[in-house]
């Protein structure tokens, strides 16, 4: 007969004693800010940096929102610089683009993508978070905006996502070219909130409102995870707000096994509670954010029930065309948002132990 004092039993006792000691040492309310479970990315081979970033996003739910700003492929540091000049602070999330829309030839496109990678590596080194998107031109076509928005019938889209067709081969060629730059980020230890083929529930992009959109998502997911080994990517599925003429979220959701986080694009100050609640429900507790916005979320939104959003990202020039200088300054000074400075001041994250498959993480106070 095995002794009741088995190694497994002793391990459980040790775990309980550790948790009990923490609860005694810290007030219960304060412990909410320090002790939490680490969540694994959907890619089982995700890098340590990607795992830590995802766990950080989970830890922010209902507490804080990360500040973010998008910049364009052609000049990837313009608007983050303007925020620093206006507020004295940097956003923590820097948005980058991998798709060309101005008719770039291959040489120009390669040069611009390389500058994006160089900027993203420096942003990460300075304590920032990188998110990237991909305005993909129609497979095999030149990098023009009208090729991103090319009207595409369902039958034509079927050919794009069918293995072995000429359009499918062009698709693979295009996404493989982007993978070269994402691999540089992997090699540099940069985790990326990767949000490709966004706003798929609208009809303005060639991949929009397609009954088998998920097939396109899965092609890229499989290619990047299983062929290119881009284990630094966290997969962000990012529809448009389901306003008039836009499909509900659920129509194109790839499923929980292919998505790490969800985001929604909100323009025209259209911050409806339903956009937040439906996204949160669909994600089943995964982190959610505002992938793109025109007007920044105001103080009433930050303090409302829309508190599951953990980041926002203002779109390019809309920093200035949709937001006054006083609005930007007020938001970046709000106690509920996190800039790069506050992010750098956060406690370091360590793993205490693993318990029944859950990794118990702890923010060590500074």
């Amino acid at each position: 007969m095995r002794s009741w004092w088995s190694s497994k039993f002793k391990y459980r006792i040790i775990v309980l004693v550790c948790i009990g000691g923490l609860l005694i040492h810290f007030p219960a309310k304060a412990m909410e800010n320090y002790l939490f479970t680490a969540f694994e990315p959907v890619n089982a081979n995700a890098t340590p940096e990607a795992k830590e970033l995802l766990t950080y996003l989970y830890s922010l739910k209902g507490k804080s929102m990360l500040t973010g700003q998008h910049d364009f492929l052609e000049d990837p540091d313009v608007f983050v610089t303007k925020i620093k000049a206006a507020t004295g602070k940097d956003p923590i999330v820097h948005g980058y683009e991998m798709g060309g829309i101005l008719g770039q030839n291959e040489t120009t496109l390669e040069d611009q993508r390389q500058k994006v990678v160089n900027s993203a590596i420096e942003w990460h080194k300075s304590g920032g978070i990188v998110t990237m998107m991909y305005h993909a031109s129609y497979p095999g076509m030149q990098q023009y905006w009208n090729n991103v928005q090319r009207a595409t019938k369902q039958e034509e889209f079927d050919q794009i996502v069918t293995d072995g067709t000429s359009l499918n081969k062009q698709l693979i060629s295009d996404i493989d070219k982007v993978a070269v730059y994402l691999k540089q980020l992997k090699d540099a230890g940069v985790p990326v909130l990767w949000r490709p083929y966004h706003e798929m529930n609208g009809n303005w992009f060639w991949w929009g409102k397609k009954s088998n959109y998920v097939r396109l998502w899965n092609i890229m997911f499989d290619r990047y995870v299983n062929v290119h080994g881009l284990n630094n990517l966290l997969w962000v599925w990012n529809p448009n707000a389901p306003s008039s003429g836009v499909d509900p979220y659920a129509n194109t959701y790839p499923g929980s096994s292919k998505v790490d986080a969800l985001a929604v694009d909100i323009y025209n100050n259209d911050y409806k509670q339903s956009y937040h609640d439906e996204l949160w429900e669909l994600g089943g507790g995964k982190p959610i954010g505002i992938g793109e916005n025109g007007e920044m979320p105001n103080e009433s939104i930050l303090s409302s029930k829309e508190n599951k959003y953990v980041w926002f990202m203002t779109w390019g020039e809309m920093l200035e065309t949709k937001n006054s200088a006083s609005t930007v300054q007020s938001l970046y000074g709000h106690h509920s948002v996190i800039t790069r400075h506050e992010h750098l001041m956060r406690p370091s994250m360590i793993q205490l132990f693993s318990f029944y498959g859950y990794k118990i993480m702890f923010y060590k106070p500074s």
Side-chain angles (χ1 to χ4, degrees), residues 32-45:
E32 294 178 6
N33 297 320
Y34 295 110
L35 187 62
F36 54 92
T37 302
F39 294 86
E40 294 293 323
V42 292
N43 177 0
N45 297 315

Side-chain angles (χ1 to χ4, degrees), residues 131-271:
T131 183
M132 286 194 173
M133 64 182 308
Y134 178 38
H135 276 106
S137 286
Y138 187 87
M141 289 190 168
Q142 196 171 353
Q143 309 287 312
Y144 280 109
W145 182 242
N146 60 357
N147 287 334
V148 179
Q149 293 195 310
R150 185 182 185 279
T152 303
K153 294 181 180 180
Q154 179 65 54
E155 295 79 9
E156 199 174 348
F157 184 82
D158 291 344
Q159 290 297 304
I160 294 173
V161 297
T162 297
D163 292 343
T165 66
S166 59
L167 281 173
N168 179 256
K169 290 177 182 177
Q170 291 284 1
L171 171 73
I172 298 300
S173 175
D174 289 346
I175 65 178
D176 282 355
K177 290 175 183 177
V178 175
V180 172
Y181 300 94
L182 297 175
K183 186 177 185 302
Q184 290 185 44
L185 295 173
K186 173 193 170 185
D187 293 342
V190 181
V192 178
L193 295 173
W194 176 241
R195 54 182 203 98
Y197 303 128
H198 68 305
E199 297 178 0
M200 73 301 292
N201 55 339
N203 63 0
W204 44 87
F205 297 137
W206 60 261
W207 58 84
K209 282 200 171 188
K210 300 299 185 290
S211 61
N212 51 348
Y213 163 84
V214 172
R215 173 67 182 152
L216 177 66
W217 180 275
N218 288 343
I219 287 171
M220 177 177 275
F221 184 93
D222 177 70
R223 193 81 185 165
Y224 280 5
V225 171
N226 298 317
V227 176
H228 293 291
L230 297 176
N231 302 326
N232 58 321
L233 304 184
L234 292 175
W235 291 80
V236 181
W237 178 76
N238 190 163
N240 199 77
S243 53
S244 177
V246 180
D247 288 344
Y249 294 141
N251 288 22
T252 50
Y253 185 50
S256 60
S257 65
K258 299 289 179 68
V259 173
D260 289 301
L262 299 80
V264 57
D265 291 352
I266 301 175
Y267 287 97
N268 302 313
N269 216 23
D270 189 26
Y271 288 98

Side-chain angles (χ1 to χ4, degrees), residues 68-69 83 269 271 293-298 301 312 314 319 322-323 327-328 331-332:
Q69 176 62 43
I83 289 178
N269 216 23
Y271 288 98
N293 60 269
E295 294 83 357
M296 293 178 173
N298 57 39
I301 294 169
F312 72 86
T314 304
L319 170 69
K322 296 294 184 179
N323 300 278
T327 295
V328 177
L331 180 63
Y332 272 71

